[in-house]
Amino acid sequence: MIRIRLMRAEDLPTCMLLREHAGFNQTEADWRRFMALQPDGCFVAEWEGRPVGTVTNCLFGPIGWIAMLLVHKQFRGRGIGTRLMQHAMEYLDQRGVATMRLDATPMGRPIYEKLGFVAEYGLVRLQGIASAGGQPRSVRCATSGDLGSILHLDRQVTGTDRSRLIRRLYQENPQVTRVISAPGGQLLGYITARPGMQATQIGPGVAVEADAGRALADAALAHCAGRPVFIDIPLDNRAAMRWARDRGLEQQRPFTRMRRGAAVENKPALMWASSGPEKG
Ligand SMILES: CC(C)(COP(=O)(O)OP(=O)(O)OC[C@H]1O[C@@H](n2cnc3c(N)ncnc32)[C@H](O)[C@@H]1OP(=O)(O)O)[C@@H](O)C(=O)NCCC(=O)NCCS
């Protein structure tokens, strides 16, 4: 009764409905990006011909990200979520990935544990209305000339070559990305943001020094001043958690970063904002 097939542009209304059921923040532009980044790796589950579930994959070299596991409220508890996950895992296995990763909601975590995923570390989504605070002078708008250094730094911190994602995010909203450099010119960090249905999602963003991270995060808030924002921060980044508390942001929901397969060498203490659960 369950059939899994490729996700298509015509599925966008279903995707947006399931997103709404789950209280997620993605826009149509987000779903289009998932399909553009991995056209053969985004799937829909049909129950008796009706589209009722989704899952997306994204390949970053030997690492595969699974996201957007959503099942229509009325169709939950029938094994559809598990089948979608198995399909996503088969897809990544066939491509020979060394590691599968994802950010689990408390609802998704039991499914992933049963399928062999283990917890790596916690993240928390913080939310609030962005305060103007002022644009720190050390922070400037990124140009396309900064992209090479941004991609290099992101890879050093996340242990993942996310070039495809970061380039795409930059192209979608070139005016939003901010960078900060040392007096010698060396890049210390970057941060970006994108629109969401409920709030602007700040991230991804990394910084090798806490002062640089704070300045970037403040610049991101200043850019969104007066509007609702979400930012997903690893609990291991104590400086970022302190910054969020100081700025009056409130904890909304926890995520658990999980993996199946080889460990990825990454530095959550230097991650100031995850890209969101979609791609870590
Ligand atoms: C998480 C989710 C995708 C599971 O989909 P599903 O089709 O209900 O999953 P399954 O039927 O395969 O059930 C998997 C587990 O969910 C739990 N479950 C069972 N019935 C359920 C129900 N009616 N409602 C919610 N969860 C249920 C059980 O732990 C079950 O384990 P079991 O196989 O030992 O019974 C779905 O609840 C959902 O869309 N949640 C909101 C979005 C979300 O949090 N997604 C996870 C992102 S990380």
Side-chain angles (χ1 to χ4, degrees):
M1 270 186 281
I2 304 171
R3 187 172 85 96
I4 313 280
R5 61 159 175 81
L6 270 186
M7 188 184 287
R8 309 182 285 250
E10 304 90 88
D11 294 312
L12 278 173
T14 301
C15 295
M16 289 301 278
L17 179 74
L18 302 189
R19 170 212 65 78
E20 199 179 327
H21 283 182
F24 283 13
N25 190 36
Q26 289 80 16
T27 62
E28 281 199 13
D30 288 315
W31 287 98
R32 286 185 202 285
R33 184 183 329 107
F34 306 150
M35 285 188 259
L37 288 174
Q38 211 64 51
D40 59 348
C42 298
F43 304 104
V44 163
E46 287 182 357
W47 179 272
E48 291 170 354
R50 178 177 169 180
V52 293
T54 58
V55 72
T56 63
N57 284 293
C58 189
L59 282 163
F60 296 122
I63 298 168
W65 264 92
I66 301 176
M68 306 314 294
L69 180 70
L70 293 170
V71 172
H72 189 294
K73 260 187 182 159
Q74 288 162 14
F75 293 82
R76 289 182 191 165
R78 302 181 190 191
I80 299 171
T82 303
R83 273 287 302 279
L84 278 163
M85 264 308 286
Q86 287 166 338
H87 198 85
M89 291 164 68
E90 274 164 31
Y91 170 86
L92 292 177
D93 270 336
Q94 280 163 12
R95 272 139 198 92
V97 303
T99 311
M100 300 177 192
R101 286 183 106 189
L102 53 82
D103 280 353
T105 60
M107 233 177 166
R109 188 169 168 171
I111 299 184
Y112 307 134
E113 281 171 345
K114 273 181 222 148
L115 293 170
F117 283 77
V118 295
E120 292 189 321
Y121 49 86
L123 298 100
V124 64
R125 169 160 298 175
L126 295 130
Q127 65 175 10
I129 303 296
S131 49
Q135 170 91 257
R137 265 185 302 166
S138 48
V139 173
R140 61 179 173 82
C141 287
T143 66
S144 54
D146 292 309
L147 268 177
S149 321
I150 290 175
L151 300 179
H152 180 72
L153 188 68
D154 188 81
R155 189 175 185 164
Q156 281 183 325
V157 172
T158 64
T160 307
D161 182 357
R162 302 197 295 178
S163 306
R164 295 191 313 131
L165 170 69
I166 295 168
R167 278 187 199 284
R168 169 100 191 194
L169 289 172
Y170 180 77
Q171 282 159 7
E172 284 177 30
N173 290 299
Q175 72 290 356
V176 182
T177 306
R178 300 283 183 273
V179 290
I180 186 165
S181 308
Q186 180 209 353
L187 189 74
L188 296 176
Y190 83 94
I191 200 160
T192 188
R194 64 183 181 279
M197 292 305 288
Q198 299 143 3
T200 298
Q201 180 84 39
I202 296 178
V206 307
V208 293
E209 292 171 6
D211 283 347
R214 269 189 295 272
L216 285 166
D218 276 337
L221 284 189
H223 181 76
C224 307
R227 287 179 290 155
V229 289
F230 293 165
I231 179 167
D232 299 350
I233 300 178
L235 295 171
D236 289 341
N237 189 341
R238 302 262 177 85
M241 291 298 294
R242 266 197 307 276
W243 166 85
R245 193 197 53 212
D246 292 348
R247 295 295 176 268
L249 302 181
E250 287 171 2
Q251 302 202 2
Q252 184 208 80
R253 63 161 98 197
F255 293 106
T256 307
R257 185 147 300 178
M258 303 184 83
R259 75 152 196 282
R260 189 172 182 276
V264 176
E265 251 189 68
N266 62 172
K267 302 176 178 122
L270 304 183
M271 296 174 199
W272 279 71
S274 158
S275 81
E278 303 94 333
K279 312 268 182 268

